[in-house]
Structure formats: structure tokens, C-alpha cells
Amino acid sequence: MSAWAVTPEAEELVLPGSGTRSLAHVLPGVVAALGADLPGAADARRALALPAVERACVVLVDGLGHLNLAERGGHAPFLRSLLPGSEPLVTTFPSTTATALGTFGTGASPGATGMLGYTVRVPGTGALGNLVSWTDLPDAHAWQTEPTVLEQAVAAGLPVTSIGPARFAGSGLTNAVLRGPAYVAAESLDARVDATVRALRAPGLAYLYWGEVDKAGHHHGWGSWQWGEALGELDAALARLSRSLPRGTLLVITADHGMVDVDPGRRRDLAGDPVLGAGVALTAGEPRALHLHLDPDADAAAVTERWRAELGEDAVVATRDDAVAGGWFGPVSDHVRPVVGDVVVAMTGAATVVDSRTQTPASIALVGVHGSLTAREMLVPLLVHA
């Protein structure tokens, strides 16, 4: 368990669509600030109150939740200096990288993009596809058909550069949700800062991704010294970036999701559980946000009630129809609806449900996880420096 207290604010549930500002507004809003006229972009810019500029840099920090940052901001003096007066954004459900990047990259809901978790069941084949490694999935363009904000910006004549590790160039996830711009490979954070500064010598947009904070949180927990060290390294590099960018450049820093440290004593394994496992043919998603795909003869309402009774306050459980009607995934397209589980489960507190039939021991043992509807997972920062 984390040494950091779970506050009532962190435990509140936050549905996607709460408020008027979300992760979906970031790229459209920045593109509008740069003068590109894309559908809905002007409204997004107004929602985020972004100034008109000639150059902009958007940094997405994997796993840097608003509440995580606020509670451990002592490790991040630069980012902490941007917190006063800022308001967090609401990310997607599930609050996980593939889903959030889908909405960040397209401005569309997960129900439109089909990016519905770490893993998803593929309609037609029944395979369990991984949206991060892009294994056992159709072609990225066939799976995620919404146009990306960046490809629309490039088509409108805006110079756009994406900066990140070489392994992400042309990957399935990149092609699905961030396709369009020129890609510059840079491995270390300092190398990415340098590449960003070079890209913005001329007017345009640079997008920079950093995943080390999330990695530290998964392996050690967001309350660990290792997470604090990763946050401090990020903070120093972003402070240098802010000093090195041309005067008047808009720097926008956000994240895909937050993180909770979970309790192994509140972990259930569906694979060996006769109550939770009954009628469940395949589990997709992740331990904090599950899509239960049922046996053909299983009744979704009955499974929902059984899970509610068994998990109690550790979960919010809904049938597919109720989750869709409740707006958990935003508007859901017809071709995406079968990707949603017959039953959808959002874990609360420090509880998880795993499935050792399909999940590795290393993934089951992760200390820090995310995916659910708690404020600690759903609220992400919007930090603006100009």
C-alpha cells in the first residue's frame, strides 16, 4: 500500500463528460491557437482559454495524475509553480493509455475510436488484442477509423513534429491515434527536449511523449521514492524546455491518466474464483476496468448482480446497455458496441480483479495501476506556460 493517504476527493467517482474540459480538448484547442481551422477546434480552444500563438509544444506525461502531482509536487518545483490557478481535465474511461491516447489524438470518444482498454476482444475473431503492443488486432487504420487531429492539422498546412522513442515510430498505436506528423526519434528525455527545441525554431506544433513516470509507478507505486525521482527528472527537463523554447511559445503539459497503489489483499483472481468466473468466457480491459465477455448462455443481468453482491463497495458493475447509456464511453458507434463487454466493471478503493488465464504474473503483481473511475485515476493536469 502507498504511504500516501487516500483522501475522500481521490475516491470520488468521475464520469467522462463531467464538466466542460476534457483531455479531448487539448490537441484541437492547441491547433486552433495556432490558427488551424478544424471542426470543433475553436470551441476546444475557448474551453481551455488558450492564447493565439505561432509555436506550441504539447507534452503528454504518461501516468501523471493531477492529484498524484498535487500531493507529491515537492519533487517538481517547475510543475508545481504552474498548478495554482490551473484546473484539471477529465480523461477517458477506461483511464488507461491506449484509450486516453485515442481520445487525445482524435478528439473523439472511446466509443467512436474503439480504443476501449489495454486489451480488447476483437469482434469476428474473438481474439484478445493488445492495443499497446498492437498484437492480435486488425490493421490500425481499420480498427480506429476516426481522423486524427494531427493528420488534419498537417493537411491544413500546419507544420507538426512528433517526438518520442524510435520504437513508437510507425507502431500500431501511433498509426491508430497519432498518425500524420513527421516523427523524430529521441530516446532520453534530454534528447527529446533538444529535438523539440530544434523543431520549434520555425513556427508550428511539436508533440512530446514521456513514459518513465508511469513505468516507475507501475513497478514501485506512485507513493515510492522511485516515482518521486522519476517526477523530479521530468520536472528538471521540462523546466529546461520552458527556458529553451523561443519566446512566446505555448507550452501545454498534460497526461493520459492518474494512478492508484493497490492492495494485494484486495485482489481477486477470476480464473480460480467460482463465483466471479461463472459464465465469463473472456476478460478484456485491465484489473481496474474489466470488460466481461460472457458465455452464450450466460445472462448479463444475472452476472452483473452476482458481481455486485460479491464485490460490494470494491466495484461499480454495469451491463453493457447501462454502461453505454450512462455515458461511460461517450457516444458509441455501432461497430464499436461489440467491443464493449457484456458486463463492465470499474474497481474502487485499492481493489483489483485479475485473470491469470490471460495476464502474466508480472502484470498481476504491479503495485501502481489505473483504469477506473476514481478521481485519482480520472483527473489529469492541464498546465500552461507561455
Side-chain angles (χ1 to χ4, degrees):
M1 287 286 291
S2 168
W4 298 87
V6 177
T7 63
E9 180 186 24
E11 276 294 275
E12 291 177 0
L13 300 186
V14 179
L15 279 174
S18 302
T20 58
R21 294 152 50 93
S22 78
L23 188 62
H25 290 125
V26 174
L27 280 183
V30 172
V31 165
L34 289 164
D37 184 18
L38 303 185
D43 290 339
R45 178 189 168 193
R46 280 191 291 271
L48 303 186
L50 299 176
V53 291
E54 292 186 344
R55 295 173 174 84
C57 174
V58 176
V59 180
L60 188 137
V61 183
D62 200 325
L64 185 64
H66 175 80
L67 294 176
N68 303 123
L69 173 61
E71 293 178 37
R72 301 209 62 190
H75 294 271
F78 171 66
L79 294 176
R80 186 176 70 243
S81 73
L82 302 178
L83 277 172
S86 71
E87 295 182 20
L89 306 176
V90 177
T91 189
T92 57
F93 178 79
S95 49
T96 194
T97 298
T99 308
L101 282 182
T103 291
F104 171 79
T106 66
S109 69
T113 65
M115 309 292 289
L116 290 181
Y118 181 72
T119 59
V120 290
R121 189 190 68 165
V122 180
T125 70
L128 187 66
N130 187 306
L131 288 173
V132 174
S133 63
W134 213 267
T135 51
D136 297 318
L137 286 165
D139 177 77
H141 293 73
W143 182 268
Q144 198 301 99
T145 59
E146 297 291 318
T148 75
V149 176
L150 297 183
E151 69 181 336
Q152 293 178 82
V154 170
L158 182 67
V160 183
T161 305
S162 183
I163 299 108
R167 67 184 182 277
F168 295 157
S171 71
L173 182 56
T174 298
N175 284 338
V177 300
L178 293 167
R179 56 183 178 254
Y183 194 95
V184 174
E187 301 305 321
S188 72
L189 184 50
D190 281 339
R192 290 179 213 175
V193 168
D194 292 339
T196 301
V197 173
R198 286 194 298 271
L200 289 177
R201 287 173 181 165
L205 170 63
Y207 163 66
L208 168 62
Y209 169 85
W210 186 246
E212 296 307 303
V213 172
D214 183 70
K215 185 181 297 183
H218 279 310
H219 292 293
H220 305 288
W222 76 272
S224 67
W225 68 263
Q226 292 94 336
W227 194 89
E229 190 172 82
L231 178 60
E233 179 186 359
L234 168 77
D235 188 75
L238 293 183
R240 182 170 74 86
L241 175 63
S242 72
R243 296 191 301 268
S244 304
L245 289 169
R247 185 181 300 276
T249 300
L250 177 67
L251 174 60
V252 176
I253 302 164
T254 190
D256 50 353
H257 56 75
M259 184 169 285
V260 298
D261 291 354
V262 294
D263 182 355
R266 294 173 68 186
R267 177 194 301 146
R268 302 280 293 268
D269 186 354
L270 181 150
D273 192 313
V275 176
L276 296 184
V280 179
L282 182 71
T283 306
E286 44 231 297
R288 291 282 291 177
L290 300 95
H291 293 270
L292 307 180
H293 295 277
L294 305 183
D295 293 328
D297 58 349
D299 178 72
V303 172
T304 297
E305 289 305 316
R306 186 169 70 247
W307 275 62
R308 285 175 179 166
E310 187 70 11
L311 296 178
E313 294 183 354
D314 280 346
V316 179
V317 189
T319 64
R320 173 194 288 146
D321 288 346
D322 287 345
V324 170
W328 290 25
F329 309 104
V332 177
S333 301
D334 289 344
H335 73 282
V336 174
R337 192 177 181 91
V339 183
V340 180
D342 298 297
V343 176
V344 184
V345 183
M347 304 303 296
T348 60
T352 53
V353 174
V354 301
D355 187 347
S356 59
R357 298 175 300 181
T358 56
Q359 296 164 3
T360 66
S363 67
I364 290 172
L366 292 175
V367 178
V369 295
H370 48 81
S372 194
L373 290 166
T374 70
R376 195 180 297 285
E377 294 159 280
M378 289 293 294
L379 299 181
V380 296
L382 178 74
L383 305 177
V384 178
H385 182 273

